[in-house]
Amino acid sequence: MTFNDFSLCSELLKALKEKGYTEPTPIQKKAIPPVLEGRDILAGAQTGTGKTAAFALPLLEILNRRGEVRKDPRVLVLTPTRELAAQVGENFSLYGKHLPYRTQIIFGGVKINPQIQSLRTGCDILVATPGRLLDHVQQKTLNLSRVEYLVLDEADRMLDMGFIHDIKRIIALLPGKRQNLMFSATYDKEIKKLCNSLLHNPVLAEVREGNKTADKVNQIAYKIEHAQKRHLLAWLIKKDSWYQVLVFVRTKHGANRLAKQLVKAGISASAIHGDKSQGARTRALSEFKSGDLQALIATNVAARGLDLQGLSYVVNYDLPQVPEDYVHRIGRTGRAGESGQAITFITSEDAKQLKAIEKTTEQTIPVTNPIGFVPVVTAS
Ligand code: AMP
């Protein structure tokens, strides 16, 4: 199967060719046809599966089939984080580069006035995080009454982050006659409830069963005392000359502290989390992407949905509190045909949580001692 089989317009095919995509990914094969037919869909797909193009391509195609360019958005994409909003917006612009439709991205944490200015110029596609979107609605700088296509991207994460009320408020502002696309990596009671209230007779497009972890990821867990974690991490990075690693920690404070400790150990590292300014987050991300930064230390929320290609190592420095997050985290590696390594640090308090993760992933994670690592004795 090729992209030609979807009868996409030549402008989209040209952009895909330039991007070097030859074949649709499984989620694209499943989602693009029903979206083009005007159906609501519920798509179960993690980041890294090509899910963004699975909605961006058919929506651009639909806009193009309908022809006119408008001032008020017809496509609204809601995302949980700023980074994901930026990424999704970039994808629309990229795939639609030979088409006249304009994409705007709005998210919180940056000044609202420049966004108001640029919204004045109009757009066909709006990608937004829920809170800032509502700010604009309140200030009457945005008209949502023309939205005909709604995408909830990473819906499960939006619910986890407590956006349900914002989402409901936004949906209430939209015209009733709409096509709704919902993407979620996991499927639980809350998601089911949202589906039932939002989607009409949806087509289910799933590429991975439940919470199974990526096949290509090698998983290992190291037993380690809490105080030795940072030394073990620095040791692993140096010993195996890890080119790049994404490290998950539980708290913002912990992320800052670990980044500083790694820098002290001679490893270029930076933290990314919700308290950092947008500028700092964007800078850290682009330094990491360009290879200038060896270790990116992230909290769950900040890392969700980041498109980091070719990542070989992910470290769960602290275990996630929710087992499903383990799946999301290690989904950053082993993508698009590459293999990856997920390393999890386990302290004596983590046994119960590890069991919960193994139950969710239906896999056993081998636990060993880090052979060759000599604990570092410090005064503190
Ligand atoms: P996503 O799951 O949307 O974050 O996409 C993951 C990565 O796969 C992104 O870097 C996309 O640019 C890339 N991608 C999406 N569709 C394809 C495709 N059909 N062929 C190759 N790469 C793709």
Side-chain angles (χ1 to χ4, degrees):
M1 190 185 231
T2 71
F3 285 104
N4 290 320
D5 298 321
F6 299 130
S7 320
L8 298 176
C9 62
S10 58
E11 291 87 345
L12 284 174
L13 292 175
K14 189 171 169 204
L16 290 171
K17 201 167 167 201
E18 286 164 2
K19 191 90 176 87
Y21 298 177
T22 48
E23 202 198 337
T25 66
I27 189 65
Q28 291 161 5
K29 287 179 192 167
K30 287 197 174 156
I32 293 175
V35 178
L36 287 175
E37 282 168 24
R39 299 282 305 266
D40 280 7
I41 64 164
L42 170 62
Q46 290 172 259
T47 295
T49 54
K51 70 179 170 65
T52 315
F55 59 82
L57 291 173
L59 289 173
L60 283 162
E61 174 67 25
I62 289 171
L63 290 185
N64 195 46
R65 286 182 191 173
R66 298 186 54 180
E68 76 222 281
V69 174
R70 294 250 193 98
K71 194 159 179 298
D72 294 321
R74 276 182 292 172
V75 173
L76 173 64
V77 184
L78 294 180
T79 74
T81 64
R82 310 158 187 192
E83 282 79 10
L84 188 61
Q87 222 163 263
V88 169
E90 278 165 24
N91 274 303
F92 269 101
S93 302
L94 205 91
Y95 301 135
K97 67 197 260 209
H98 302 297
L99 291 168
Y101 309 104
R102 288 164 307 167
T103 302
Q104 297 226 13
I105 306 164
I106 58 178
F107 47 69
V110 293
K111 290 199 183 105
I112 199 165
N113 281 336
Q115 291 179 348
I116 293 174
Q117 296 290 337
S118 63
L119 281 174
R120 277 204 191 113
T121 62
C123 67
D124 302 276
I125 299 143
L126 183 65
V127 185
T129 52
R132 180 54 67 93
L133 183 76
L134 285 169
D135 291 345
H136 280 282
V137 170
Q138 215 151 32
Q139 298 207 21
K140 300 203 176 7
T141 47
L142 187 61
N143 175 9
L144 295 179
S145 72
R146 296 288 175 85
V147 172
E148 294 172 68
Y149 307 93
L150 172 69
V151 182
L152 295 188
D153 195 11
E154 304 202 348
D156 48 351
R157 176 51 43 144
M158 286 202 273
L159 297 189
D160 287 352
M161 288 169 68
F163 284 140
I164 185 66
H165 297 295
D166 285 353
I167 291 173
K168 284 188 172 159
R169 280 174 64 199
I170 292 165
I171 290 172
L173 297 166
L174 306 180
K177 197 172 168 308
R178 277 190 326 265
Q179 188 176 354
N180 303 293
L181 318 180
M182 191 158 134
F183 284 73
S184 179
T186 54
Y187 187 74
D188 63 12
K189 262 204 331 243
E190 291 307 307
I191 286 288
K192 206 169 159 189
K193 247 168 65 186
L194 185 60
C195 284
N196 290 340
S197 67
L198 181 71
L199 305 178
H200 303 288
N201 190 20
V203 172
L204 299 179
E206 250 199 307
V207 290
R208 193 167 284 146
E209 274 174 65
N211 289 311
K212 294 261 171 66
T213 46
D215 295 339
K216 291 243 167 59
V217 182
N218 293 317
Q219 301 170 64
I220 190 155
Y222 290 130
K223 272 194 262 182
I224 190 77
E225 274 176 45
H226 192 81
Q228 291 295 329
K229 280 183 176 182
R230 63 188 167 110
H231 300 300
L232 176 60
L233 180 62
W235 181 75
L236 286 169
I237 292 175
K238 287 182 178 170
K239 174 178 74 95
D240 293 329
S241 310
W242 288 355
Y243 170 59
Q244 284 205 304
V245 56
L246 178 61
V247 182
F248 286 96
V249 296
R250 197 163 0 240
T251 64
K252 298 166 188 173
H253 184 62
N256 288 338
R257 195 174 44 211
L258 181 60
K260 278 198 196 122
Q261 288 164 340
L262 288 178
V263 168
K264 234 174 160 179
I267 294 159
S268 59
S270 192
I272 181 166
H273 55 67
D275 280 358
K276 291 248 167 178
S277 71
Q278 187 54 37
R281 287 163 73 165
T282 309
R283 198 161 50 244
L285 193 60
S286 69
E287 280 175 8
F288 190 62
K289 280 190 173 180
S290 69
D292 289 342
L293 206 59
Q294 204 172 357
L296 189 65
I297 320 298
T299 55
N300 262 353
V301 168
R304 176 68 191 237
L306 294 184
D307 175 23
L308 296 166
Q309 269 182 314
L311 207 54
S312 304
Y313 300 96
V314 166
V315 170
N316 291 299
Y317 189 87
D318 296 319
L319 273 188
Q321 275 158 324
V322 185
E324 283 77 13
D325 279 338
Y326 178 84
V327 182
H328 296 145
R329 287 177 173 192
I330 76 165
R332 300 315 83 195
T333 177
R335 310 160 54 131
E338 296 155 26
S339 69
Q341 177 103 37
I343 297 112
T344 301
F345 289 0
I346 304 286
T347 67
S348 50
E349 287 121 58
D350 291 331
K352 220 171 113 193
Q353 188 59 9
L354 182 68
K355 280 270 162 306
I357 289 169
E358 290 184 331
K359 200 166 159 233
T360 302
T361 59
E362 295 171 25
Q363 285 179 344
T364 310
I365 303 166
V367 181
T368 71
N369 288 310
I371 297 161
F373 171 70
V374 182
V376 178
V377 184
T378 52
S380 58

